[in-house]
Amino acid sequence: MANVAVIGAQWGDEGKGKIVDWLAERADMVVRFQGGHNAGHTLVIGENVYKLSLLPSGIVRGTPSVIGNGVVLDPWALKAEIEKLTAQGVKVTPETLHIADNCALILPFHRDLDALREDASGAGKIGTTRRGIGPAYEDKVGRRAIRVCDLAHLDDLGPQLDRLTAHHDALRAGFGEPPVDREALLAELREIADFVLSFAKPVWLMLNDARKRGRRILFEGAQGVLLDVDHGTYPFVTSSNTIAGTAAGGSGLGPGAVGFVLGIAKAYTTRVGSGPFPTEQENEIGERLGTRGHEFGTVTGRKRRCGWFDAVLVRQSVAVSGVTGIALTKLDVLDGFDEVGICTGYRLRGQVIDHYPSNAADQAAVEPIYEMIEGWHESTAGARSWAQLPAQAIKYIRRIEELIQCPVALVSTSPEREDTILVRDPFSD
Ligand code: IMP
């Protein structure tokens, strides 16, 4: 039985929420495997708009949803998000939400440190979501983290807390901040512990059992491959591996469990935060893409930078993430342009190259080589079949497929879940 991993093939915000929601209806479980509440997934269901950050998108329709060990979990953000969804009529119970008991926690001083560092970095700032994601992952790999399972043993945390606060107190002193207030931290953790623990379990056991029983698992990636800590535009990346390979390690399943990898890519490109962006259009084209595409961040409300489709970067994402098929989203945003650009290669200090270099200075120096394609003036908004697409739009999609060396499996033409052209069903592969 095929499982499906959905991952972003650009810098996040590709429209994964809608696609995951669409697939979640036929999945038996939806699993988040990396990132935290830095993600922003918007689901539009009829009149209702749901904005999720930490919870898997399946939760809205009652599909059993799992937060895997690869996620960093802010207990207070979890509670706030559950309360907001409950107020919208969504039931979140220990039967529908399962949290890995070996997830590392995001604590209040992680959030502080994220903001302190960003504020102190001047032009070198990363433009993080300031949710404490980076500092929490650092503590995880530094073997200092407090994990979900530790919430059941708060009275025995002594030596672990010593190691954690020794590290943070030194960092805080450097920023002129007082040491971590251990008693206040423990009091806050005591207050929230039972709530988090009510959803906690060894989810790897549950997932392996589900797999043996042939259940369909949908892995929901957050951010995008270009924000991957190894393969992205380092150091302007997030602190987790966002590639599809992480779906296995971040949930406690073997690599064979991942199945079909659906890469989500916008028909153009956007980015929030700092970092290189070769096809960025800081002109009226970028303005028009941003306005038509409502390009404002779900989590921070920041205006997104916009530009043409970069086939070199998406081809690279397809390769490093083993993408089986692409879901091309927001095609309708390109309606009405006289011509649309696709980046097909770069020029780096006079040399033509066919991939994105690893070094940050080289990444910033590349100049995109564009192929301009005649646009279309008909509307593609709401199209549900190829027959409803103008010939030029089809030509654009076919050229993208050729350049990224990967077939398009789905085309999304509006935020509504039914406005989707299905070429190849990831679940029936
Ligand atoms: P962090 O994940 O908060 O540490 O932020 C690191 C970088 O990833 C920044 O450029 C953020 O804007 C970006 N980022 C993090 N999460 C998302 C997301 O869900 N969509 C788009 N960009 C994101």
Side-chain angles (χ1 to χ4, degrees):
M1 187 74 71
N3 295 326
V4 177
V6 171
I7 51 122
Q10 293 158 322
W11 279 291
D13 309 315
E14 299 92 348
K16 291 183 288 292
K18 165 181 161 171
I19 307 289
V20 171
D21 175 51
W22 188 79
L23 289 166
E25 204 171 49
R26 281 168 307 135
D28 297 308
M29 302 185 154
V30 182
V31 183
R32 279 276 313 263
F33 54 88
Q34 47 70 228
H37 65 307
N38 49 348
H41 292 170
T42 305
L43 310 186
V44 180
I45 302 176
E47 301 285 286
N48 300 316
V49 179
Y50 303 92
K51 289 189 188 286
L52 303 175
S53 286
L54 179 59
L55 295 173
S57 297
I59 203 82
V60 174
R61 292 182 186 275
T63 309
S65 294
V66 175
I67 294 181
N69 56 278
V71 169
V72 280
L73 184 124
D74 179 325
W76 300 276
L78 173 79
K79 189 155 184 267
E81 194 168 318
I82 291 177
E83 284 170 358
K84 199 167 136 213
L85 279 183
T86 306
Q88 284 188 284
V90 176
K91 281 205 179 74
V92 182
T93 67
E95 281 69 51
T96 56
L97 178 65
H98 310 274
I99 298 178
D101 60 1
N102 50 350
C103 260
L105 297 182
I106 301 181
L107 299 171
F109 51 79
H110 291 133
R111 217 179 313 131
D112 296 347
L113 186 59
D114 199 349
L116 287 165
R117 280 179 180 158
E118 283 288 275
D119 290 340
S121 296
K125 78 173 181 196
I126 289 167
T128 72
T129 59
R130 296 175 177 242
R131 300 288 193 268
I133 305 292
Y137 274 118
E138 286 168 34
D139 280 347
K140 173 178 165 168
V141 298
R143 296 159 293 180
R144 294 179 295 269
I146 297 179
R147 307 195 299 173
V148 168
C149 50
D150 301 328
L151 292 172
H153 305 278
L154 287 174
D155 292 335
D156 306 328
L157 272 190
Q160 210 171 324
L161 217 46
D162 289 345
R163 203 162 54 236
L164 183 62
T165 54
H167 179 80
H168 279 274
D169 288 349
L171 285 172
R172 291 170 67 87
F175 285 106
E177 292 292 313
V180 172
D181 183 339
R182 285 173 67 136
E183 285 317 308
L185 174 67
L186 279 169
E188 280 186 84
L189 289 172
R190 276 198 192 94
E191 204 179 308
I192 199 129
D194 286 347
F195 177 77
V196 179
L197 287 169
S198 68
F199 302 102
K201 59 199 60 148
V203 299
W204 63 270
L205 262 177
M206 189 184 134
L207 289 171
N208 275 275
D209 181 55
R211 192 165 177 233
K212 277 185 209 139
R213 288 186 292 127
R215 297 285 184 263
R216 289 174 161 190
I217 303 172
L218 177 61
F219 299 98
E220 178 179 13
Q223 293 86 45
V225 174
L226 304 176
L227 289 168
D228 183 281
V229 68
D230 288 297
H231 298 286
T233 47
Y234 192 92
F236 301 100
V237 292
T238 192
S239 295
S240 63
N241 283 111
T242 56
I243 50 169
T246 315
S251 62
L253 284 160
V258 177
F260 192 106
V261 178
L262 185 65
I264 318 294
K266 265 184 208 171
Y268 50 102
T269 313
T270 64
R271 163 159 218 176
V272 257
S274 325
F277 180 173
T279 62
E280 183 171 15
Q281 299 292 306
E282 290 178 281
N283 52 30
E284 63 192 36
I285 295 170
E287 281 297 318
R288 186 161 158 196
L289 290 169
T291 309
R292 287 186 57 95
H294 310 289
E295 297 296 353
F296 294 91
T298 311
V299 173
T300 58
R302 288 179 293 176
K303 196 171 169 183
R304 297 180 186 140
R305 300 155 64 192
C306 298
W308 293 128
F309 188 87
D310 190 330
V312 183
L313 285 178
V314 176
R315 183 165 67 231
Q316 207 149 319
S317 296
V318 164
V320 298
S321 214
V323 172
T324 324
I326 285 282
L328 197 68
T329 62
K330 300 185 96 166
L331 180 67
D332 53 303
V333 173
L334 295 181
D335 295 353
F337 277 94
D338 289 334
E339 50 176 15
V340 283
I342 304 179
C343 169
T344 58
Y346 302 124
R347 206 165 271 116
L348 177 62
R349 299 183 190 97
Q351 295 272 340
V352 173
I353 54 171
D354 64 355
H355 66 279
Y356 203 46
S358 300
N359 174 262
D362 288 348
Q363 290 186 348
V366 298
E367 294 162 47
I369 299 169
Y370 289 113
E371 184 173 303
M372 298 308 293
I373 293 188
E374 187 191 328
W376 54 92
H377 288 276
E378 304 89 330
S379 169
T380 63
R384 296 180 183 188
S385 71
W386 288 109
Q388 290 173 294
L389 290 183
Q392 275 309 119
I394 296 177
K395 214 165 145 187
Y396 179 68
I397 297 171
R398 294 297 179 222
R399 184 65 182 133
I400 283 178
E401 285 181 313
E402 220 166 65
L403 289 166
I404 65 173
Q405 297 168 7
C406 183
V408 166
L410 299 172
V411 183
S412 165
T413 55
S414 99
E416 288 293 332
R417 68 199 304 262
E418 304 309 330
D419 293 341
T420 304
I421 302 170
L422 179 63
V423 184
R424 183 175 169 195
D425 185 345
F427 266 131
S428 60
D429 247 61

